[in-house]
Amino acid sequence: MAKKGKIARNEKRKAVVERYAARRAALKEAARRPSSTPAERAAALAELRRQPRDASATRVRNRDSVDGRPRGHLRRFGLSRVRMRAQAHAGFLPGVIKSSW
């Protein structure tokens, strides 16, 4: 179980990323567009730097949806490897069976 503060901070980051997503995409497009002038490009990059650090999507950590474990996250299930294995053995994940050969 992760600390509640770590989980809460990550949720706050998700909200900040969502709030700034459209503006960041527009600024990145302006900086990347070949037809933009050097002044426009510099202004877009300066505005990107002025935004909060947590507005970047790379700062959001993938965590287990049940207990918040940060490592061993499996995107397909939204769970950590430990939790996924336990739930698969208990039969809570449809279509997932234990392999044998």
Side-chain angles (χ1 to χ4, degrees):
M1 181 75 189
K3 292 181 181 180
K4 300 230 184 268
K6 294 279 188 182
I7 296 170
R9 188 177 310 134
N10 201 45
E11 293 302 317
K12 184 178 173 184
R13 280 188 182 135
K14 286 180 185 178
V16 172
V17 165
E18 189 176 332
R19 187 174 26 189
Y20 283 90
R23 180 70 179 142
R24 282 184 69 83
L27 289 170
K28 282 186 172 187
E29 177 59 32
R32 199 176 301 128
R33 193 178 323 121
S35 63
S36 63
T37 65
E40 290 174 344
R41 187 171 288 124
L45 291 174
E47 175 63 28
L48 272 172
R49 276 189 238 107
R50 274 195 299 271
Q51 289 187 344
R53 280 186 167 186
D54 285 345
S56 174
T58 58
R59 291 181 60 97
V60 174
R61 178 78 181 190
N62 285 331
R63 290 184 172 271
D64 187 325
S65 60
V66 177
D67 65 0
R69 188 177 201 278
R71 306 268 179 119
H73 181 266
L74 301 172
R75 287 181 189 211
R76 183 172 178 185
F77 302 101
L79 301 170
S80 67
R81 60 182 176 77
V82 178
R83 180 74 49 174
M84 193 286 256
R85 185 172 188 268
Q87 288 193 1
H89 285 303
F92 294 136
L93 301 176
V96 177
I97 58 171
K98 186 172 177 184
S99 172
S100 64
W101 61 90

